[in-house]
Amino acid sequence: MDREPDIFFPYRLRTVRLGVQATAMVLVVLPLLFFLPNRRAIEAVPFFTILGVAAAGAVLVWRLPWPALFARGLGVPAMYVWSALDIVLITLLHGVVGPDSVDIFVVYALTTVFFAASYPPRGQVALLAFTYLSYLTLLAVTGWPVPVGNLLARFGVLGTMTFLAGFLSRELMVQTRALHASRDESARRAGLLRTVAGAGRTMSFLDSDRVLASVVDSALALGFEAADICFYDEATQTYRVGHPRGLPREYAEGRHSASTGIMGRVLRERTTVVTHDYRADPEGLPWIRDAGFQAVIATPVWSQGRLAAVMTAGTRLRMEISDLEREAFELLAAHAGRALENAERFEAERSAVERMAELDRMKQDFLSSVSHEIRTPLTVIEGNGLTMEQHWDRLDDQTLREFLASMNANAKSLDAIVSKLLDFSRLESGRLEVHTTEVPVMVALDRVTARLSDLAAGHMVMVEGDPQVAVSADPLLLDRVLENLLSNALKYTPPGTGILLSAQSSGSEVVFAVTDHGPGIPEDEVARLGERFFRGGDPNDRPAKGIGLGLALAREFLQLHGSALEVESTVGRGSRFWFRLPLVPDRRPVGPTHGTA
């Protein structure tokens, strides 16, 4: 855009003011010529008439609304008219005083040089030519009273003075342009720095979504028409657009291949990419080209050493992005990366605090459960023992046997709790070792069902396995895993429910599974099964006792074997817990064996 009217507006206003003042000074001095002695007689009426017209013209020029004229582009043409009328008046005055008068020719020179200092080169040449023409016309009309040599001398001096005035004027304008360009550049730099600094202040949020929205808005404040944040999905090799501003809807709402467009170049080159004519970019996306974007920039946003996103911006108005704008854009992306890091760290810390609070709650629940679980069998054992001690002679054999059976059952429950706590302690201290050997699967299944036969009373427990198949495992830990899985199914399924304990060959592995047809587990709790101290459901309304370590121990015992506990559950239809162990190579499956317990 042409900035000259803005740049030279004060200069031209000062020129007008100085021109009126100089005219006033000349009008004060010229009347003295009429009274000087030893001079050619001057006709008073035309002489003072011309001076009066000049004075009236000066007043009119002074009263003109020059700021408005320059603002509307009429200021310079008005100055042309003013200078031409001045030359005409000076020519008429020259004719009254005498065409050969050097004094009046000096006024020619003053007027021409003064206006030439305000005009562009063409205007200077035109004004000089008009002055020459006016004087030559005067000489021709008055019979050419000036010798040719004097005329050439006068014209030479006038031309030289006009050239010098024009030269100084051009140098002044060059310096003025340079000064304004420097000022504009400084203002542009200051504006960009203010934008980036302001973005840094507004990106102090701990919400990553608000951070990214602030980044995009700050990119627009740098002078771009459109901006967005692109998120890369490595699994699908695509990216989606986040927080779009000023972009076509088809582009903003879709997913795009990460190998195309300026986004793809950033992912490949890992650095800022600038295109000055997006319409000619062979990798450009059609929606952006059709929207008329020309200059486009994209830069990576790094967070914790990874390319977290790509920030892009563009404009339709120009085909160039300056180095300064590029630096500001990259600085903005760096601010965004650090803000994202802060938001992610805060989120991690918040999650850690929440997790610690949850662990604390679970531990409190665990301690409460352990206290209750230990106190209950101890109370039964203590009560039965005191009763037997105090009333032994009065109790019949049947009652004594019932008391002893109850004491044994509660002692087993207490032993199970203590065993889990000891297992947990050994895991925590790293003292639990795995001693792998060959374990026949049916032996392991039968041993567990026999040990849990009392708990299984009232349930239909089916056992499926191949007596010819063996796995490589620690037999004690495998028993613990199967016992915890089966006891968990027995506790949480109502009486009469069918439960299947199976071990089936699958390639080079054996799949152990406990399948029930109980109430199932809610989806939000399935992912947390196996966490230490976690027990699903309402703590005040749980159908079974426990301390929340059974599945956690099973999961960690399996991890020691290089395996993992898997869970499938549907509310109202039942659950399946399963894991894999390596098959002993020289064993060959013969056929499934079924049984009940």
Side-chain angles (χ1 to χ4, degrees):
M1 182 177 66
D2 185 9
R3 295 287 307 276
E4 282 202 0
D6 295 332
I7 293 174
F8 297 111
F9 177 74
Y11 172 73
R12 298 198 192 282
L13 281 181
R14 287 194 297 270
T15 300
V16 170
R17 186 162 52 250
L18 184 60
V20 174
Q21 293 172 354
T23 301
M25 293 174 62
V26 169
L27 291 176
V28 170
V29 172
L30 283 179
L32 299 178
L33 294 176
F34 185 81
F35 301 101
L36 288 178
N38 303 320
R39 286 191 59 87
R40 175 181 172 181
I42 301 175
E43 295 184 17
V45 175
F47 179 77
F48 286 103
T49 300
I50 294 173
L51 292 182
V53 171
V59 173
L60 177 62
V61 168
W62 179 257
R63 299 297 299 274
L64 285 176
W66 289 102
L69 291 175
F70 282 118
R72 297 170 59 186
L74 300 176
V76 173
M79 290 183 70
Y80 286 148
V81 173
W82 177 19
S83 60
L85 292 176
D86 269 1
I87 296 299
V88 170
L89 287 175
I90 294 170
T91 302
L92 294 175
L93 187 64
H94 221 315
V96 172
V97 176
D100 58 341
S101 174
V102 177
D103 299 328
I104 303 302
F105 194 85
V106 170
V107 180
Y108 260 141
L110 291 176
T111 303
T112 305
V113 169
F114 170 77
F115 282 106
S118 305
Y119 292 164
R122 291 183 180 179
Q124 296 169 10
V125 172
L127 180 61
L128 180 62
F130 184 72
T131 303
Y132 284 166
L133 179 61
S134 298
Y135 190 58
L136 290 174
T137 302
L138 174 64
L139 294 179
V141 171
T142 58
W144 211 276
V146 178
V148 174
N150 290 347
L151 177 63
L152 293 178
R154 292 181 182 184
F155 278 9
V157 171
L158 181 59
T160 301
M161 293 178 65
T162 303
F163 171 76
L164 291 175
F167 171 77
L168 293 176
S169 173
R170 287 191 297 274
E171 287 299 309
L172 177 62
M173 291 183 176
V174 168
Q175 294 299 321
T176 302
R177 290 191 184 95
L179 178 62
H180 278 267
S182 177
R183 188 185 66 180
D184 290 345
E185 181 69 9
S186 298
R188 177 65 173 160
R189 287 178 179 271
L192 293 176
L193 289 176
R194 281 196 302 271
T195 299
V196 174
R201 289 192 297 271
T202 58
M203 285 190 292
S204 59
F205 310 125
L206 295 176
D207 181 350
S208 59
D209 197 58
R210 292 183 66 190
V211 167
L212 296 176
S214 175
V215 169
V216 174
D217 292 337
S218 298
L220 295 179
L222 291 178
F224 295 99
E225 297 177 70
D228 65 6
I229 292 281
C230 298
F231 300 95
Y232 174 55
D233 186 347
E234 188 173 2
T236 61
Q237 294 292 300
T238 60
Y239 69 89
R240 65 177 179 85
V241 178
H243 303 283
R245 304 284 192 274
L247 291 166
R249 183 174 57 83
E250 296 81 2
Y251 170 72
E253 296 179 356
R255 296 191 71 91
H256 313 286
S257 172
S259 62
T260 59
I262 199 168
M263 170 75 173
R265 290 180 59 188
V266 173
L267 291 174
R268 291 192 300 270
E269 300 175 15
R270 301 291 191 181
T271 188
T272 302
V273 175
V274 178
T275 177
H276 297 297
D277 189 1
Y278 193 89
R279 294 171 298 180
D281 188 347
E283 294 184 322
L285 297 175
W287 305 281
I288 307 300
R289 283 202 302 263
D290 294 345
F293 284 94
Q294 299 189 88
V296 177
I297 183 172
T299 191
V301 177
W302 298 95
S303 175
Q304 300 184 10
R306 63 182 178 85
L307 200 158
V310 173
M311 185 168 67
T312 63
T315 177
R316 302 177 181 87
L317 300 179
R318 49 196 168 94
M319 297 180 63
E320 182 178 352
I321 294 176
S322 67
D323 292 339
L324 178 62
E325 289 175 315
R326 173 176 177 153
E327 292 173 6
F329 198 73
E330 290 176 339
L331 185 58
L332 183 61
H335 276 316
R338 284 190 290 272
L340 279 178
E341 287 182 2
N342 292 336
E344 290 170 357
R345 289 194 183 103
F346 173 78
E347 183 63 25
E349 291 175 2
R350 186 183 65 79
S351 298
V353 170
E354 291 180 352
R355 182 61 180 152
M356 289 175 64
E358 177 67 11
L359 284 174
D360 185 65
R361 185 195 66 76
M362 291 167 62
K363 286 181 179 179
Q364 293 296 328
D365 190 19
F366 163 73
L367 292 174
S368 176
S369 298
V370 168
S371 300
H372 181 268
E373 294 295 323
I374 291 177
R375 186 181 295 112
T376 299
L378 280 178
T379 300
V380 174
I381 292 172
E382 183 181 17
N384 288 346
L386 287 174
T387 301
M388 292 170 65
E389 179 183 5
Q390 295 172 2
H391 305 286
W392 180 271
D393 295 333
R394 287 181 287 174
L395 297 174
D396 55 45
D397 291 344
Q398 179 63 30
T399 302
L400 289 173
R401 288 190 181 91
E402 290 177 356
F403 279 173
L404 287 173
S406 176
M407 292 174 67
N408 288 334
N410 282 278
K412 287 182 179 179
S413 176
L414 188 60
D415 177 69
I417 294 173
V418 173
S419 295
K420 288 181 180 179
L421 292 175
L422 289 174
D423 289 339
F424 178 73
S425 177
R426 286 196 293 271
L427 276 172
E428 286 292 295
S429 63
R431 291 184 288 108
L432 189 62
E433 298 181 357
V434 179
H435 301 284
T436 303
T437 185
E438 181 179 318
V439 182
V441 296
M442 283 305 299
V443 172
L445 298 182
D446 291 339
R447 191 162 51 223
V448 170
T449 53
R451 191 160 53 250
L452 298 179
S453 58
D454 291 340
L455 183 61
H459 287 77
M460 298 176 58
V461 179
M462 298 290 295
V463 180
E464 289 185 0
D466 188 343
Q468 304 300 319
V469 173
V471 293
S472 178
D474 184 311
L476 295 179
L477 296 184
L478 177 58
D479 280 359
R480 294 280 194 198
V481 172
L482 292 173
E483 180 180 339
N484 284 327
L485 296 181
L486 182 56
S487 64
N488 191 68
L490 293 170
K491 289 177 183 178
Y492 287 93
T493 57
T497 304
I499 298 174
L500 174 64
L501 177 63
S502 62
Q504 303 293 338
S505 300
S506 177
S508 61
E509 298 175 317
V510 174
V511 179
F512 291 83
V514 175
T515 307
D516 66 61
H517 299 286
I521 305 168
E523 183 178 355
D524 60 334
E525 295 184 3
V526 169
R528 300 193 60 190
L529 291 177
E531 292 183 7
R532 296 178 181 183
F533 316 127
F534 175 74
R535 299 182 66 204
D538 185 350
N540 300 316
D541 188 26
R542 286 173 178 152
K545 301 176 181 179
I547 57 177
L549 282 180
L551 292 179
L553 289 172
R555 187 182 293 274
E556 297 196 34
F557 289 162
L558 289 172
Q559 288 178 353
L560 294 174
H561 285 80
S563 184
L565 180 63
E566 305 289 343
V567 183
E568 299 172 352
S569 184
T570 303
V571 175
R573 298 181 60 182
S575 306
R576 180 173 183 261
F577 293 77
W578 54 280
F579 60 91
R580 298 173 181 269
L581 289 176
L583 177 68
V584 175
D586 58 353
R587 293 278 186 155
R588 295 290 183 270
V590 175
T593 298
H594 304 273
T596 60

